[in-house]
Every structure is written in C-alpha cells, then in structure tokens.
Amino acid sequence: MRVVLLGTYDLGKPRTRLLREALRAIDPRLRELHFPVWEGVEDKSVMHGLAARLGVAVRLLLAYPVLALRYLITGRHDLVVIGYLGLFDMLLLAPLAKLRGKPVVWDAFLSVYDTYARDRAMASERGWKARLLRWMERRACALADRVVLDTKAHAALMGELYGVPQSKLDAVLVGAEAGTFAPAAARPAWRDGPLKVLFYGQFIPLHGIDTIVDAALDPRGQRFAWTIIGQGQEAARIDARLAGRAAPQVDRIGWVAYDGLQDQLAAADVCLGIFGTSDKAARVIPNKVYQTLVADKPLITRDSPAMRELVSDEREGLYLVPPADPAALLDALEQFAQDRETLPATLHGDLCEAFALPALTQQWRGVLEKAITR
C-alpha cells in the first residue's frame, strides 16, 4: 500500500519517530510531506515568551499553504496518515484527502482537550479555550476514518467524549527506540552503598512527583539515593519543596538530553514511572516506562488499567503500586532491595516483544488495512 505521512507532526516525540519507522517498513516508498513547526518545543503547554509563541504561530501560518500545495500535486497513494500533534492538520489538511477520495488515519495519541483542561487544569472546562479545543477534537474525529490512541483505555475516552464508535477507534502502543535504549551487555554486580533510584520526565501532574518527593523525604526514604531529572509545569513548586528541606539524598538535575538518558538508566539500580491520581494517569503508559523496560531495569510505577493492558500478571523486577502512595513506593523499594540478588539476568525481554518495532509495525499495518477496507 502507498502511504502519505502528512502534516506538522512532531519529530521530537518518540511516538512520531516510531510511527514513521513502522510506516517505512510497511511502505518503503513512504511519501513524507512534512513542515517542521514544533522542533525545540519540549512542552507545548509552557512555551515561555512572546517570541516563542509568535515563532510557532508564524510557522503554522506558513505550513498549511505549503503542505496543501504539496499534497494536491503528490502522486498516487492509497491513504493519508496524520501524526501527533495533528489537531490543526486534521481540520485543514484532512479535507483535502477526502476531496481526493483517500482515507485518513489520525494518530491522535492523546486528547489535547483532556490534557489541557482536565489533567493539567490549565483552563476551565467551561471556558472558551477548552470548549474550542473540544469542538476541534470532535470535528477531527469526525473527519478521520481511524482514530488511534496509545492504549485501549485512552481510545475509550475519545468514544466517551465525542461519541466515536468503537469500530473506528484503535490503540497502538508507544514503545521505545531500541537504538537509544538497550540493556547493558551484562548486568553489573550490585554496588555497595545506598540503592540508586531514578526518575526523569516532564514535571506534569500525571507523573505524581509529589509522591516521589514525599517518599524521598520520609525517614525510610533517606537510606536511598534519589536522582530526580526534569523540568516543566510543576518544576518550580517541586524545587521549592526540596529547597525547604535538607535532602542530601536527593540529586535534582534540571534536564538531560534525550541521548544521555541511557547513561542515567545504566547508573540506576531501579527506575520510577508515574504515580499520579488523575484519570489520564490511569489511561497512559508513559515513554519512561517503555524505555526502562527496554533497558531491562527494575521498575516501580502505578498500577492502572493502561499498565494492565501490557502486564497481566506479577513479574520479577516490576512493581505496581497504588497511585499517590509514598508508603507503597517505599515498600516496593524495600522489596526490591530484598529481591535484587535473586533477580534473573534478563527481566523484561519477552514483555518488550509486544512493543518492539516489528510488533508496532504489525499493529499499524492492521490499522491501515482497516482504513482502506472500511
């Protein structure tokens, strides 16, 4: 099948890069019609300064005439895929595909409305911004032949919000880039001294970073060495909490480049996922979880319907705990301290097969075939 990957999709996101790899495996002649808009914008909800906002606005204004012309003169193809962040792309470019009689697959990945108004509480759900986002997403879902999210739980939300029929919804796991994240050739001998605990990510509500800080500051947590890496919406508040306490056991790092995360993972004894209580936190499996599993590191993260889509039973080296429960996090760390000497040499290899590139390619192939034969 001949595929066009169209739009302003964000190549800074592993999700988008893995989608592109999968599409290239499906169609080696994949036609990419891309205009870079989001490069360098790590967190779109906290763009600082007028210049940054104007830069994105100008790039968006330039993007659509260019992309529309390129698409209208592109050659034979069977369908169009619009990647994340593709809300504007769906409204402005998907109608052109419809005019040419081509089905459109939208990798929504997440609900922008739910993220902005509900999860991050950056606007009132009754305010004009949230209502506009909701209308836009509803319209985008109506235009798409297939709407793709990262988990079945997330896909169900789109059905609830916009009445998208189940038959039109798909879920494709995010996965991790094996070229960037990989297990060490051999697991090093366990080090003397405190266990090294690693968290990294954007500081957003669904991560539940307060739970990590509460655990780190607890007397039980002071026997561990904590590394907390990241920046974002909640960073200033978290830093103020840490600054108000003597916490030599916590190493707070503002940011690490993407290609440096493998070194951080290798240095850690155990890694942390997310611990938030929001509905969205229950629906997602974040990048860091996939990356930790691919790196074959022990992992502690919240139990959730989304995680149970990936993990159906108890597994060595994987500890699922209730959300917003510092005591449970510390219990899991103490359990890991007891388990670590007897853990198998390989922890997550079979689990990773479910979201390795061949598996993702098959998942995407199934989505595309359903779009063509609708």
Side-chain angles (χ1 to χ4, degrees), residues 117-195:
R118 292 179 171 182
D119 187 64
R120 300 199 187 185
M122 300 186 75
S124 167
E125 289 187 56
R126 297 182 179 181
W128 70 269
K129 292 181 181 178
R131 294 174 68 180
L132 177 61
L133 280 174
R134 188 161 183 167
W135 177 85
M136 291 170 67
E137 281 195 334
R138 185 185 300 275
R139 180 62 183 152
C141 288
L143 285 166
D145 293 275
R146 310 295 306 178
V147 181
V148 187
L149 287 297
D150 60 329
T151 65
K152 294 176 182 176
H154 227 159
L157 171 71
M158 299 298 259
E160 294 167 8
L161 283 174
Y162 307 120
V164 184
Q166 183 65 35
S167 60
K168 188 174 172 177
L169 293 166
D170 287 290
V172 175
L173 297 172
V174 172
E177 294 169 293
T180 304
F181 301 92
R187 178 169 294 158
W190 294 111
R191 296 164 278 244
D192 293 331
L195 289 178

Side-chain angles (χ1 to χ4, degrees), residues 134 160 165 170 172 194 215 236 242 244 249 265 288 307 313 323-324 339:
R134 188 161 183 167
E160 294 167 8
D170 287 290
V172 175
L242 291 171
Q249 73 277 18
L265 285 162
K288 64 178 65 60
M307 277 301 297
D313 53 8
D339 295 344

Side-chain angles (χ1 to χ4, degrees), residues 297-318:
K297 303 296 291 190
L299 170 69
I300 304 171
T301 193
R302 71 155 287 179
D303 202 349
S304 69
M307 277 301 297
R308 290 299 177 177
E309 292 180 28
L310 183 62
V311 183
S312 59
D313 53 8
E314 299 299 317
R315 299 181 60 90
E316 292 183 293
L318 178 56

Side-chain angles (χ1 to χ4, degrees), residues 3-133:
V3 182
V4 171
L5 180 56
L6 173 65
T8 61
Y9 47 90
D10 184 2
L11 287 170
K13 297 297 181 186
R15 167 74 169 199
T16 309
R17 295 195 295 269
L18 286 164
L19 165 63
R20 184 172 64 173
E21 285 190 58
L23 293 180
R24 284 174 173 170
I26 294 167
D27 176 10
R29 299 171 295 174
L30 174 69
R31 183 69 184 271
E32 284 197 71
L33 305 179
H34 179 235
F35 194 104
V37 168
W38 304 108
E39 275 70 0
V41 184
E42 292 291 343
D43 188 345
K44 297 162 188 63
S45 67
V46 290
M47 285 190 291
H48 296 292
L50 181 61
R53 294 185 179 90
L54 282 176
V56 168
V58 169
R59 291 195 294 273
L60 283 170
L61 288 172
L62 292 173
Y64 292 108
V66 171
L67 289 170
L69 178 60
R70 292 183 65 194
Y71 175 69
L72 289 173
I73 64 174
T74 201
R76 182 182 67 83
H77 58 286
D78 299 305
L79 80 166
V80 170
V81 177
I82 290 181
Y84 176 84
L85 175 70
L87 189 54
F88 294 128
D89 299 352
M90 284 298 302
L91 298 177
L92 298 173
L93 299 176
L96 301 180
K98 293 296 184 178
L99 283 174
R100 297 186 65 176
K102 306 302 181 184
V104 176
V105 173
W106 179 31
D107 183 24
F109 179 35
L110 51 81
S111 165
V112 177
Y113 160 76
D114 178 66
T115 299
Y116 182 75
R118 292 179 171 182
D119 187 64
R120 300 199 187 185
M122 300 186 75
S124 167
E125 289 187 56
R126 297 182 179 181
W128 70 269
K129 292 181 181 178
R131 294 174 68 180
L132 177 61
L133 280 174

Side-chain angles (χ1 to χ4, degrees), residues 244-275:
R245 296 282 297 272
Q249 73 277 18
V250 179
D251 183 15
R252 174 73 177 95
I253 300 174
W255 197 247
V256 170
Y258 184 72
D259 57 6
L261 291 176
Q262 174 68 29
D263 293 337
Q264 295 289 334
L265 285 162
D269 293 314
V270 59
C271 300
L272 305 180
I274 62 173
F275 304 93

